[in-house]
Amino acid sequence: MGLARILRAVSELSDRHFNVLRVIERNSMRGSLTRVESVSRAMKLSEQYLAKLLSELHDASLVWSPAGRKSGYVLNYAGLDALALRAMLRRGIVASVGNVIGVGKESDVYAADTPEGERVSLKLYRAGRLSMTRYRRTRSLPSELGSYLAASTRFAANEVRALRVLYEAGLPVPFPVYRNRHAVVAQLIDGVPLVKVKSIPKPPELVLEELLKAVKDAHSAGIIHSDLSAYNVLVDAEGRSWIIDWPQWVRRDHPNVLFYLRRDVQNLIDFFKRRYHMDLPPSLIEEFLRSVTPT
Ligand SMILES: Nc1ncnc2c1ncn2[C@@H]1O[C@H](COP(=O)(O)OP(=O)(O)OP(=O)(O)O)[C@@H](O)[C@H]1O
Ligand SMILES: [Mg+2]
């Protein structure tokens, strides 16, 4: 569903609707459905009135009733988006949301504007998106939807935790502005994914060197990207590389740290060899790993 519809729902629905939506959110995260009677008791409102609020949330597609309305409701991604966007609008983090600037397997990224008129990026996680259409068909109980919503929130929190440390350490990563639930607002990088760059305004050897230095500095700051590839590097007009997409980072003291580090660096080296026909010595990766983790 488009974000425009969700933003409209956010502006049109009342505080009461959102109080109900938060109850559904809490239950959904635990994997349980929310029925009219239970909210009615918790919120001390009549069942009739609650049935109306729930039905309006359902009409706005923010909740889903997988086994019919009587059996209860569960929050869906549109509902989670609505909760996060409402919080951001109210806190003055963003004033409006613009176009999609990136669609990944498990996230959608939008350009947004702050009240001060600054452009930022807004990343909305969608863990489990690929497997979720299946649930619609089978109408099976959505306890897994709940765990996906929770996973998306965890990814967003992980990403922001890494970005704070890395930005502080001076790495070329987007500045993390704010997180709410599964939504991350960060500095908008005016760049193109390295995989799509036609010509870099800098010798590719230099770009690779800078990236390897960034991997090394991130390691010094205690963080290994562990999904690093030319897809997760944005190159700006000056040829500066920015490393994005950090939800799956691991700590330096992770037992398999060398595996992740090696894979990250190998991805980069392989890309530069393939794309720019760079003649790199096979020993490069071992030398790099030795320089990062001297024994
Ligand atoms: N801070 C940012 N500034 C500019 N563009 C961004 C920013 N963050 C993400 N994007 C754009 O959105 C795309 C997807 O973002 P990102 O790589 O963070 O997540 P993802 O690839 O969807 O994650 P997944 O690995 O689940 O597919 C990027 O390729 C990039 O084009
Ligand atoms: Mg990515």
Side-chain angles (χ1 to χ4, degrees):
M1 181 164 77
L3 223 49
R5 260 191 78 184
I6 297 170
L7 286 163
R8 189 155 2 103
V10 168
S11 69
E12 286 171 1
L13 295 172
S14 68
D15 287 358
R16 279 258 162 86
H17 288 104
F18 277 93
N19 290 340
V20 174
L21 201 58
R22 270 193 295 273
V23 173
I24 301 173
E25 175 187 34
R26 216 154 37 233
N27 293 337
S28 302
M29 292 287 183
R30 290 194 216 111
S32 50
L33 290 164
T34 305
R35 296 158 67 108
V36 174
E37 311 86 76
S38 63
V39 206
S40 158
R41 240 177 293 119
M43 296 187 64
K44 300 191 170 60
L45 296 169
S46 78
E47 286 192 15
Q48 200 187 2
Y49 182 55
L50 261 159
K52 179 173 169 292
L53 295 178
L54 280 164
S55 137
E56 283 160 357
L57 289 169
H58 191 265
D59 291 344
S61 305
L62 305 185
V63 295
W64 173 40
S65 54
R69 296 192 186 200
K70 278 209 166 42
S71 327
Y73 296 87
V74 66
L75 192 75
N76 58 28
Y77 270 117
L80 197 64
D81 290 352
L83 286 162
L85 288 168
R86 184 169 183 267
M88 291 182 175
L89 291 162
R90 295 194 144 206
R91 283 165 204 227
I93 307 291
V94 298
S96 63
V97 183
N99 293 332
V100 176
I101 53 172
V103 176
K105 291 182 301 297
E106 303 211 313
S107 81
D108 295 328
V109 184
Y110 293 82
D113 286 308
T114 69
E116 294 77 32
E118 199 191 331
R119 305 227 87 187
V120 288
S121 70
L122 168 67
K123 182 172 182 177
L124 299 168
Y125 277 93
R126 268 97 175 78
R129 160 154 70 192
L130 298 178
S131 22
M132 258 161 49
T133 41
R134 215 173 51 225
Y135 293 111
R136 288 198 180 280
R137 250 181 282 128
T138 58
R139 301 167 78 86
S140 68
L141 212 90
S143 67
E144 267 156 279
L145 171 55
S147 65
Y148 286 137
L149 299 175
S152 287
T153 297
R154 211 164 49 240
F155 290 153
N158 285 347
E159 175 153 46
V160 165
R161 205 171 305 132
L163 289 177
R164 285 205 186 109
V165 172
L166 296 163
Y167 188 85
E168 197 60 36
L171 271 105
V173 297
F175 171 71
V177 176
Y178 180 77
R179 173 187 73 92
N180 189 284
R181 297 177 170 83
H182 66 319
V184 176
V185 175
Q187 177 187 355
L188 184 80
I189 307 299
D190 191 7
V192 180
L194 180 56
V195 273
K196 290 192 194 156
V197 170
K198 290 285 184 308
S199 71
I200 321 185
K202 231 197 279 216
E205 288 76 12
L206 205 58
V207 178
L208 175 60
E209 200 180 300
E210 285 170 7
L211 282 169
L212 292 182
K213 177 168 185 307
V215 171
K216 190 172 173 169
D217 291 346
H219 180 271
S220 300
I223 290 176
I224 290 85
H225 189 290
S226 82
D227 186 28
L228 189 55
S229 72
Y231 289 92
N232 287 330
V233 172
L234 299 181
V235 181
D236 68 19
E238 286 86 55
R240 188 167 148 84
S241 300
W242 299 77
I243 305 181
I244 61 163
D245 204 4
W246 294 83
Q248 65 297 300
W249 67 279
V250 300
R251 292 159 58 109
R252 188 174 46 195
D253 57 10
H254 189 284
N256 297 330
V257 63
L258 261 182
F259 168 83
Y260 293 114
L261 201 51
R262 183 188 298 273
R263 192 177 60 185
D264 279 358
V265 174
Q266 194 72 59
N267 283 342
L268 292 179
I269 290 178
D270 289 349
F271 171 80
F272 279 88
K273 275 187 172 166
R274 211 168 46 239
R275 174 68 58 88
Y276 299 103
H277 310 291
M278 275 167 57
D279 187 23
L280 298 166
S283 60
L284 178 63
I285 180 129
E286 299 308 328
E287 279 166 28
F288 175 80
L289 291 174
R290 259 201 307 282
S291 81
V292 171
T293 56
T295 41

